[in-house]
Amino acid sequence: MDKKQFDITTELTQLISSEQAYQYRIIPVAKNENQWVFKTDAQSIDELSKELAIVLGQNILLKKENEHSIQKYLETNYRKRSNNREQKSLMYSEDFLLNVIYEAKEIGSSDIHFEIFEKQARVRLRIDGKLMERYVISLEEYPKIINRIKIMASLDISEKRLPQDGRINLTTESGDFDIRVSSLPTLHGEKLVLRILSKNNIHVSLDNLGFTEQELKTYITAVQKPNGIVLISGPTGSGKTTTLYATLKLLNNDSTNILTIEDPIEYTLEGVNQVQLKQNIGLDFASTLRTFLRQDPDVIMVGEIRDVATANMAIRASLTGHLVLSTIHTNSAWATVSRLIDMDIPSFLIASTLNVSVAQRLVRKLCSSCKRPRSQTSYSINIDIIKELKDLKTDYEAVGCPNCHQTGYQGRKAVYEIIPITEELVHNIKEKQLEINQYLKINNIATLKTNMIQLVKEGITSIEEVYPFLI
């Protein structure tokens, strides 16, 4: 059965809250000037329409639908929240804005996008790496909501021509969390992205991130060295920072002085000296690293190596007896070496300081409640170009159930590629011999590709999910 047949538009979805949809078992069908139309499987339609007219303040027309279809509509379009907070109307108010933020936090969203176009504006939430449209906002209300966010984030509401960055701190009964706010001038107005940064780091641990047993041993050996550089590569949103924080938790003790320079500080760690980057006053990665070297550090964490100056300072810090952890944007673990060479870092310095190079990605995990072996061998994608998948005997497909909101996926898992820098690789780096595919095979070092294919074979994820990373 096609899941898309149960999709309804955002304009209709937002007429009622998730709690109202499940409580009354109603699905909005149409919004007319003088009447709202819903589908329902309720027995007494007359009584329910009267109650809804009072609750929603509208003339209500109910149409009978079977129980199975209503359940599918509910699971596909409405996510239940952990706290039954009252849904506010979609009129401009601080309550509506806070409701959006709390909703995003409670359903596990990482980012909230406020976007404006020629005829309407919208709010989208990123859940498990995918954006989902949640609200449509009128052009009249949108500037008010944007101004409210900018005030909360201490941004200049009169400045609409330049990008701005700010921060909001919210305290709720379920915990304390920060929100990083980024504004961007676009053709029709300002676009805002709110990144939710949880201060709760209890569950951040290397043991539950996604390392295989051998990868974890290799990684821990590298980060427990007294000096050198550990680099983690991957695109934005691939979990690099979480891996770094889990590493800092492992290294954090009373006898170790740990300093970090971050943009932004995503988690707060007790016992770790964390510095927030502030480019506008000259507090950048490179200048802060120079100061760090006079602060008697044992471990230094640099949020990201963005330029040659930062890379040079990181190398210098590791040469003077410090362990340096950082991230870099490359496509694979070994490509990090090429990137550093391209940044004019001498190859002999890279060879003598790099302990381990790590690459990582995040893939969605199949829902354990509804995944099933694929019933046919036909795919909507061309798997023939990936030779490792040709001899695949069994793989699992996403189905959809109440537990995963009919998506077929629930949660994400990090996939790693870990290359420890051995004597042989030290020689390769010094001589700039950067072709090491044969070395990886001989030493049984799993790449991102082989690890993803293994997850498909184990039924943890689907071919469709890993396919974009394999081609």
Side-chain angles (χ1 to χ4, degrees), residues 95-111:
D95 287 336
F96 165 68
L97 179 58
L98 292 177
N99 184 73
V100 173
I101 293 172
Y102 290 140
E103 177 184 14
K105 182 76 168 62
E106 289 162 12
I107 65 177
S109 173
S110 60
D111 299 86

Side-chain angles (χ1 to χ4, degrees), residues 44-54 58 60-62:
S44 178
I45 285 183
D46 290 340
E47 290 183 13
L48 179 58
S49 61
K50 292 176 183 177
E51 183 173 349
L52 289 174
I54 296 172
Q58 300 288 334
I60 302 297
L61 173 63
L62 296 181

Side-chain angles (χ1 to χ4, degrees), residues 72 75 367 369-370 399-408:
K72 283 282 189 181
E75 293 165 3
C367 175
S369 300
C370 63
V399 180
C401 70
N403 290 335
C404 61
H405 307 286
Q406 296 298 329
T407 63

